[in-house]
Amino acid sequence: GAGVSQSPRYKVAKRGQDVALRCDPISGHVSLFWYQQALGQGPEFLTYFQNEAQLDKSGLPSDRFFAERPEGSVSTLKIQRTQQEDSAVYLCASSLALAGGEQYFGPGTRLTVT
Amino acid sequence: TQLLEQSPQFLSIQEGENLTVYCNSSSVFSSLQWYRQEPGEGPVLLVTVVTGGEVKKLKRLTFQFGDARKDSSLHITAAQPGDTGLYLCAGAYYNQGGKLIFGQGTELSVKP
């Protein structure tokens, strides 16, 4: 596709459920980033992949959060045992460069935990 | 921990007015990007600045990067209702693998 796509666009989960959020980056983009955006705030970094290698996961808020990119393309962000504080928009971005390049964002997945 | 302060947080102006948004950090950026985000969408890249003192123009938008690469500004001339949205600055720092640190955002509303 022409841009970064994410699915689902909206997800409602009951507290305690597991969720999986998918990101399809721009074809050929080496780097992939996940960010979390609370309402009215700027995005906050969660984790970063270079091809299939997860090089930085310092932003993941707890061990309930897990991300993978097994073939260096599509990525999945998984949240186990969701809590209300996990409610946010989860944004995926991809970049052609290995580091420091311009990032192109998907539309995000809005997660609501009830 | 790098922090990026963006101001003002909210701005409501009339069509035709000028405005400036500021972005400041205590650390030196390797590069800085400005994004615009509309409700329900992801941020859309407006510009990237890399060189200290750099000025870039995009129609009525002027972006400046401070000489010391610790601050940046976005100036909009003769704002229009179509400029309404959330403006975000985001800095990349050396040895951070390209991850972006975002400011809190500036919510701009331009009234006709």
Side-chain angles (χ1 to χ4, degrees), chain A residues 36-44 84-91 110-112, chain B residues 9-10 37-40 86 88 104-105 107:
Chain A
Q36 180 190 59
Q37 186 174 26
L39 190 63
Q41 300 294 317
E44 291 191 3
Q84 284 193 317
E85 61 263 29
D86 300 335
S87 295
V89 174
Y90 290 85
L91 294 165
R110 179 175 295 278
L111 172 65
T112 303
Chain B
Q9 192 173 354
F10 300 98
Q37 186 177 24
E38 300 201 34
L86 179 68
L88 295 159
Q104 304 95 317
E107 189 71 57

Side-chain angles (χ1 to χ4, degrees), chain A residues 91 105-108, chain B residues 36-38 40-44:
Chain A
L91 294 165
F105 282 80
Chain B
R36 180 177 164 213
Q37 186 177 24
E38 300 201 34
E41 300 296 327
V44 175

Side-chain angles (χ1 to χ4, degrees), chain A residues 2-114:
Chain A
V4 179
S5 60
Q6 293 186 244
S7 60
R9 291 294 311 275
Y10 304 92
K11 177 70 178 177
V12 179
K14 291 186 177 179
R15 189 163 59 93
Q17 285 185 331
D18 298 347
V19 298
L21 312 180
R22 177 187 169 108
C23 172
D24 285 78
I26 294 172
S27 178
H29 276 199
V30 171
S31 298
L32 185 146
F33 302 82
W34 284 98
Y35 295 86
Q36 180 190 59
Q37 186 174 26
L39 190 63
Q41 300 294 317
E44 291 191 3
F45 171 79
L46 293 176
T47 186
Y48 156 58
F49 290 86
Q50 188 178 107
N51 296 307
E52 68 278 5
Q54 190 175 18
L55 299 187
D56 187 346
K57 54 182 180 180
S58 62
L60 296 176
S62 76
D63 58 8
R64 296 186 295 104
F65 286 71
F66 172 76
E68 61 184 4
R69 194 186 185 199
E71 297 179 359
S73 178
V74 171
S75 178
T76 303
L77 176 66
K78 297 179 180 178
I79 309 174
Q80 297 177 325
R81 305 181 304 280
T82 53
Q83 303 295 315
Q84 284 193 317
E85 61 263 29
D86 300 335
S87 295
V89 174
Y90 290 85
L91 294 165
C92 174
S94 70
S95 172
L96 186 60
L98 290 174
E102 296 176 343
Q103 295 183 24
Y104 298 89
F105 282 80
T109 295
R110 179 175 295 278
L111 172 65
T112 303
V113 181
T114 61

Side-chain angles (χ1 to χ4, degrees), chain B residues 46-47 49 54-64 75 77:
Chain B
L46 296 174
V47 77
V49 287
E54 185 174 5
V55 177
K56 284 191 173 180
K57 293 192 175 185
L58 186 65
K59 296 183 180 178
R60 293 175 293 101
L61 277 61
T62 301
F63 304 86
Q64 287 191 304
H75 182 77
T77 303

Side-chain angles (χ1 to χ4, degrees), chain B residues 13-99:
Chain B
I13 62 173
Q14 293 295 128
E15 183 176 1
E17 292 184 3
N18 301 332
L19 67 113
T20 303
V21 179
Y22 299 93
C23 185
N24 296 283
S25 172
S26 58
S27 301
V28 175
F29 300 112
S30 60
S31 67
L32 186 136
Q33 301 177 17
W34 283 93
Y35 290 85
R36 180 177 164 213
Q37 186 177 24
E38 300 201 34
E41 300 296 327
V44 175
L45 181 66
L46 296 174
V47 77
T48 299
V49 287
V50 178
T51 305
E54 185 174 5
V55 177
K56 284 191 173 180
K57 293 192 175 185
L58 186 65
K59 296 183 180 178
R60 293 175 293 101
L61 277 61
T62 301
F63 304 86
Q64 287 191 304
F65 201 17
D67 290 341
R69 309 216 310 276
K70 291 184 177 181
D71 59 276
S72 182
S73 64
L74 158 61
H75 182 77
I76 302 180
T77 303
Q80 299 177 0
D83 295 329
T84 293
L86 179 68
Y87 290 82
L88 295 159
C89 62
Y93 296 90
Y94 294 104
N95 303 320
Q96 292 293 312
K99 75 180 182 187

